[in-house]
Amino acid sequence: MVRIKTIDNTVVPYMSAINLKFKIVNKWFSNQFFVTLNSWNAQYHAILGYDFLQRNKVVIDTVNKQLLVGNQKFALEENSPTNVYSETTDCDISESDKNKKENFQQINNNIGEKVDVSEETFHALNVKIANNITLQPFSTEIINLKIPKNISKNKDLIFIPKKNKLGYLINESLNVPTNANLLHTIIENKTNKVIHVRKNTIMDKLSTFDVNDIMSPSDSEIYQINNLNLNEMHKMSRDQLLKSDFKLDHLNDTDKKDMQELLLKNYKVFSKSYKTLGETSAVIPEFSLLHNFPLQTKPYSIPLMAKKYAQQEINNLLAAGIIEPSSSSYCFPVIFIKIKQNPNDSNSEPKFRMVVDYRLLNNITEIFKICLPKISEIIKNIAGRKIYCVLDLKSAFFQIKLRDEDKRKLAFCTEMGNFQPTRLPFGSKNSTLYFHTLISKCLNGIAGKNVQFFLDDIIIAADSLCEIKVTLQQVFDRLIKFNLTLDPAKLQLCKSEITYLGFDLNANGFSPSEQNVNKVTNFPRPKNLKQVQMFLGMLNYFRGLIYDYAGIVEPLVKLTKKNTPFVWLVECENAFNTVQEIILKKPTLKNFDPNLPISLIIDASKIAICGILLQKKTMFTIL
């Protein structure tokens, strides 16, 4: 059911609704109109509401008196409703005001034209309410204030209301009077009582506005934005990059020197700070919302231990031009999440990650759909090689530029002020998918047997140091072409065994990482259905490594079936212990070798059926 409400939240009853077509100049529109029971006391036959403006993306340009619909412009007619103060009505002007008015009119008649009133004269003239006002508790209403007729229509006026004892609030405002000598403003009743304000109540006086009165901000209030060009950023990257930034102590001296030369030669692809961070528009995110009603929340309190980091992080992002001050009507809070410290890190100060809580915005953001690659396929394609490198992009999402119209939608608030990102932020819906699209585009043509990626983690594999150097150079060239940069502190270079996406990769194949093995083996005995589901969900990640997986976990799967009571039987205990023991041994899966013979092994029982391919080398190994 549709409800029509006025600005004071009063529900307007209606008799019926009808869809009508109407024309503005030469453009046709269709809209649903409601026939109301109220007497509006206005000269208009129909009113177009906010829903019409939003649906048709109509902009009301009050400065130029235009209606903007797409690329079309329509002139606005300034007609005042019949129930407001008219120039021809003097019944509500006091005698003293009438005398002042006659004096000003006499002066104007002598000169032959209207004159601007001096600032001293303004302070002698009062601003009054044009109509009787009744304000309901905790309500807001638009009101008309009348001003003397002798004031020039083109004069900018500052209205500063006086304090009152009734409890209503009118904000200060900068106005240009209408042809009917009216100012429009908003009055708010902040009390729990009905407030009556009589016609001709003096609200206060006017003063003129001069642009020269605006004070210039001090140097400390001006945010310094990163204005380095690309060559200056590359020079800064080269000056900041050191041999010690790369962890290569596991190589011999010759290989270490060769690798350092390769890395330092490609200094353009590395970034150690926000100021030298890459920036690309190869992929342009679009944040289309289901509606355009602004969302705002209050900022979260920043923990005392994170305040210093928060101030420093905001300043660094501002200096790099990654965020900018904002006056957007959208606003979302910021969370500072503590990062686990490296035990080898000598710096004792806690570190945090700044994340914007975009949950409200994500609920109304349209989905950008693409297919992410399967982790199991990535692992199978890259495992079984002798040398590995993993590359990690520096603040990956911050390297993608945002459209100007999307920046305001992603604005956030902190205790230090309101800001909006100029680059793609972490935590917003579709950010991950847009970044995957960018890396797919960047590595198109070279991703395959030697190069795989998942989001911002690029893995390179080879069977010799010479091969890995050639492939590294290919990847560096692509990243430089797309102006993307890596974090030198997070690189893993030329290792015979590496952990990637939860698996340990080496020349023998792949197996669960030590961290994931500990998660499975240390999982407590399930005490309810939810814990069983959690355990099976964890095992599902490694089911391809466990021989006869379906048969082993069948007692546990039975507990998850609908209308099955939770009873932990001996069979469940045996299945739980068996699968933990298998994972503890870190089962390894070798890659398929086309030069070896293949055996097909099949088996079936009352609870499972399976068929697997095996290859025999020194022993049978599950493929």
Side-chain angles (χ1 to χ4, degrees), residues 44 55 107 169 185 227 229 249 259 270 359 368 378 497 504 518 547 592:
Y44 310 110
R55 185 169 59 255
I107 295 172
L169 174 68
T185 189
N227 57 0
N229 59 40
D249 292 338
M259 188 57 62
F270 297 108
R359 286 177 293 180
F368 170 65
I378 295 174
E497 184 171 357
D504 287 339
N518 292 334
Y547 181 75
F592 174 74

Side-chain angles (χ1 to χ4, degrees), residues 388-390 459 492 495-500 503-506:
Y388 292 95
C389 294
V390 173
I459 186 167
Q492 300 181 62
K495 293 189 174 182
S496 57
E497 184 171 357
I498 206 162
T499 301
Y500 186 70
F503 292 92
D504 287 339
L505 309 181
N506 51 44

Side-chain angles (χ1 to χ4, degrees), residues 202-471:
I202 296 175
M203 307 306 291
D204 214 327
K205 298 171 180 151
L206 295 170
S207 63
T208 56
F209 170 74
D210 190 345
V211 71
N212 295 320
D213 293 336
I214 299 177
M215 295 180 63
S216 300
S218 63
D219 292 338
S220 61
E221 295 175 312
I222 300 175
Y223 292 110
Q224 299 296 321
I225 304 301
N226 186 12
N227 57 0
L228 298 176
N229 59 40
L230 191 58
N231 291 331
E232 290 172 331
M233 289 172 63
H234 287 165
K235 184 179 182 300
M236 183 180 292
S237 296
R238 183 181 59 193
D239 295 341
Q240 292 177 348
L241 201 61
L242 304 171
K243 291 182 179 180
S244 57
D245 291 329
F246 306 106
K247 301 171 184 177
L248 299 169
D249 292 338
H250 56 284
L251 300 177
N252 60 51
D253 291 342
T254 303
D255 293 341
K256 181 178 179 180
K257 183 179 179 182
D258 291 343
M259 188 57 62
Q260 285 176 340
E261 289 179 358
L262 173 67
L263 298 169
L264 294 175
K265 182 180 70 173
N266 291 279
Y267 60 87
K268 294 179 181 179
V269 82
F270 297 108
S271 173
K272 294 176 68 176
S273 66
Y274 285 140
K275 284 193 173 183
T276 57
L277 199 63
E279 181 184 40
T280 184
S281 55
V283 170
I284 301 177
E286 294 184 15
F287 287 86
S288 300
L289 305 183
L290 299 177
H291 65 71
N292 292 322
F293 299 104
L295 301 174
Q296 289 188 339
T297 58
K298 294 181 180 179
Y300 295 153
S301 298
I302 301 175
L304 183 62
M305 64 185 305
K307 281 187 181 292
K308 182 180 178 181
Y309 171 85
Q311 185 65 63
Q312 187 177 16
E313 183 73 358
I314 292 291
N315 290 339
N316 291 340
L317 292 171
L318 281 167
I322 296 173
I323 63 172
E324 59 189 12
S326 175
S327 58
S328 170
S329 53
Y330 291 84
C331 185
F332 304 99
V334 171
I335 303 170
F336 290 89
I337 302 172
K338 190 174 181 181
I339 302 174
K340 289 184 179 180
Q341 285 186 277
N342 187 343
N344 299 323
D345 191 354
S346 57
N347 189 359
S348 59
E349 286 192 11
K351 295 182 180 179
F352 299 85
R353 178 179 287 109
M354 188 179 84
V355 180
V356 182
D357 185 357
Y358 283 124
R359 286 177 293 180
L360 282 177
L361 181 68
N362 293 342
N363 288 336
I364 63 166
T365 303
E366 293 183 5
I367 300 174
F368 170 65
K369 295 182 179 179
I370 62 167
C371 292
L372 290 174
K374 290 184 178 180
I375 292 178
S376 58
E377 293 299 319
I378 295 174
I379 298 300
K380 288 177 184 178
N381 290 334
I382 209 75
R385 311 300 291 277
K386 294 180 180 178
I387 304 176
Y388 292 95
C389 294
V390 173
L391 313 180
D392 195 330
L393 273 76
K394 172 77 172 178
S395 301
F397 291 3
F398 282 167
Q399 301 192 42
I400 301 179
K401 292 176 67 174
L402 287 175
R403 301 186 305 169
D404 289 340
E405 55 265 38
D406 288 330
K407 294 175 184 177
R408 66 179 187 85
K409 300 175 187 175
L410 297 161
F412 59 91
C413 52
T414 69
E415 295 177 3
M416 286 79 77
N418 288 23
F419 307 93
Q420 62 189 30
T422 61
R423 315 274 187 91
L424 184 66
F426 179 79
S428 59
K429 193 174 187 177
N430 301 328
S431 291
T432 299
L433 301 179
Y434 279 118
F435 186 80
H436 176 80
T437 303
L438 171 65
I439 301 300
S440 299
K441 192 173 183 179
C442 176
L443 300 180
N444 183 36
I446 62 174
K449 182 182 177 182
N450 292 343
V451 180
Q452 292 287 329
F453 67 92
F454 189 81
L455 300 181
D456 62 333
D457 290 325
I458 303 170
I459 186 167
I460 301 170
D463 290 323
S464 66
L465 191 63
C466 182
E467 184 183 4
I468 202 85
K469 287 168 63 177
V470 171
T471 309

Side-chain angles (χ1 to χ4, degrees), residues 26 39 43 48 65 129 196-197 220 232 302 306 310 321 346 349 382 440 448 454 504 508 526 535 591 603:
N26 59 348
S39 176
Q43 66 186 53
L48 294 173
K65 297 180 180 179
I129 287 187
H196 301 280
V197 185
S220 61
E232 290 172 331
I302 301 175
S346 57
E349 286 192 11
I382 209 75
S440 299
F454 189 81
D504 287 339
N508 294 325
F535 184 68
N591 278 5
D603 193 10

